[in-house]
Amino acid sequence: METINYITHLNTILETFNNDERIKQGHITLYLAFFQLWNRKFFEETLTINRELIMERAKIKSKTTYHNHVRDLDAWGYLIYYPSNHPSRGSKIRMARACPKNGTTTGTQEVQNLVNSVPKPSQNLVSSYKLKTKENFNKLARPKNELVVLEFFKENNWPAIEGKKFYAFYETKNWKLSRGLNIQNWKESAKNFVEKGFIIKAKYTSPFSDYEDNLRKYDNRDKDYGIPL
């Protein structure tokens, strides 16, 4: 069993975290939960982990978040993850040893590889999938111009005049909802806009609507309102 300097290891790892732009809060709390277990097991080479206990200590509620973070730490060289698909056998991890580069312990090479795996600040850390998702989200947040709105209304057989009203209305509001929130999908907002317009129109044109003639509300006599007073 190799000797691990508790303080030196933590200082080195936390400094590495600070320089790694990929690291989020969840990665740090999860690593510290693993490190606490590792310390209690006297720095064994391989650890069998209890997911529920680790998630509780790391303050992680979602299993998906847990698995995403542990796979990130594995991919970035902070530990090695051995997942288990057997219900009665826990997954295992192997923590990467960390020590200063000029140290003499056997973990020197591992921490050098760990530091080298940290990307440079200029390196793009966002996947193409996330960039494409963000681009699609921006397209749905607001239309490019009025012509795009009119084309959408034409595809749905809605009146063009309603499309002009919709575009003018939300353009003046900077494509925000009544509560000040940004519109997530302008096409859904257009559908709601048209549906509400149809409902209001039907309410005041239908002979069976709740519309009431206030002039006849309190006087049922037939009067000729064309006669001057």
Side-chain angles (χ1 to χ4, degrees):
M1 184 180 299
E2 299 177 4
T3 302
I4 301 296
N5 188 310
Y6 187 104
I7 301 300
T8 302
H9 179 95
L10 270 185
N11 286 339
T12 304
I13 286 295
L14 293 178
E15 184 65 26
T16 307
F17 283 165
N18 185 56
N19 296 326
D20 192 342
E21 296 182 1
R22 301 168 299 186
I23 293 294
K24 307 300 180 185
Q25 180 180 353
H27 295 113
I28 298 176
T29 58
L30 181 59
Y31 183 90
L32 292 178
F34 285 142
F35 181 80
Q36 183 184 34
L37 174 64
W38 193 31
N39 179 44
R40 290 185 174 182
K41 296 293 183 179
F42 302 102
F43 302 105
E44 292 181 355
E45 184 174 356
T46 305
L47 300 173
T48 300
I49 56 177
N50 183 320
R51 188 190 65 225
E52 287 76 13
L53 178 61
I54 293 296
M55 288 177 60
E56 180 182 353
R57 294 187 180 279
K59 307 302 181 184
I60 295 176
K61 303 295 184 181
S62 168
K63 293 180 182 179
T64 301
T65 302
Y66 167 81
H67 285 112
N68 287 340
H69 285 347
V70 74
R71 289 191 181 103
D72 287 342
L73 293 174
D74 174 80
W76 301 335
Y78 291 100
L79 52 82
I80 301 176
Y81 177 52
Y82 304 98
S84 172
N85 297 322
H86 197 283
S88 62
R89 299 176 184 174
S91 299
K92 296 183 178 183
I93 61 167
R94 179 180 178 184
M95 305 288 285
R97 268 67 170 173
C99 64
K101 289 184 178 180
N102 58 356
T104 57
T105 65
T106 56
T108 302
Q109 186 60 42
E110 289 194 40
V111 75
Q112 287 178 343
N113 294 335
L114 184 67
V115 174
N116 291 335
S117 68
V118 178
K120 297 179 180 179
S122 59
Q123 183 176 342
N124 183 16
L125 301 178
V126 182
S127 67
S128 59
Y129 170 77
K130 290 185 178 180
L131 289 174
K132 187 177 292 185
T133 302
K134 186 176 181 180
E135 182 180 351
N136 292 337
F137 172 79
N138 292 333
K139 287 182 180 179
L140 290 174
R142 61 193 305 166
K144 186 176 181 181
N145 50 47
E146 187 181 32
L147 293 177
V148 176
V149 174
L150 294 178
E151 184 65 26
F152 179 71
F153 272 65
K154 183 179 179 182
E155 292 174 358
N156 290 275
N157 296 320
W158 296 335
I161 186 64
E162 295 296 325
K164 292 179 178 293
K165 291 179 182 178
F166 169 77
Y167 183 81
F169 177 76
Y170 281 107
E171 185 69 16
T172 57
K173 295 172 67 70
N174 196 26
W175 297 94
K176 292 181 180 294
L177 300 173
S178 57
R179 293 174 294 174
L181 302 175
N182 292 327
I183 289 179
Q184 304 293 327
N185 189 329
W186 70 266
K187 293 184 179 181
E188 289 296 327
S189 298
K191 292 179 182 179
N192 295 332
F193 184 87
V194 172
E195 289 175 359
K196 288 181 180 179
F198 286 160
I199 292 174
I200 294 174
K201 188 175 181 181
K203 179 178 179 181
Y204 291 102
T205 57
S206 172
F208 304 104
S209 67
D210 295 331
Y211 176 76
E212 190 171 9
D213 187 352
N214 289 325
L215 292 176
R216 299 181 182 275
K217 185 174 183 179
Y218 301 105
D219 192 348
N220 295 325
R221 293 177 296 172
D222 293 331
K223 292 184 179 182
D224 185 359
Y225 293 100
I227 300 175
L229 298 174

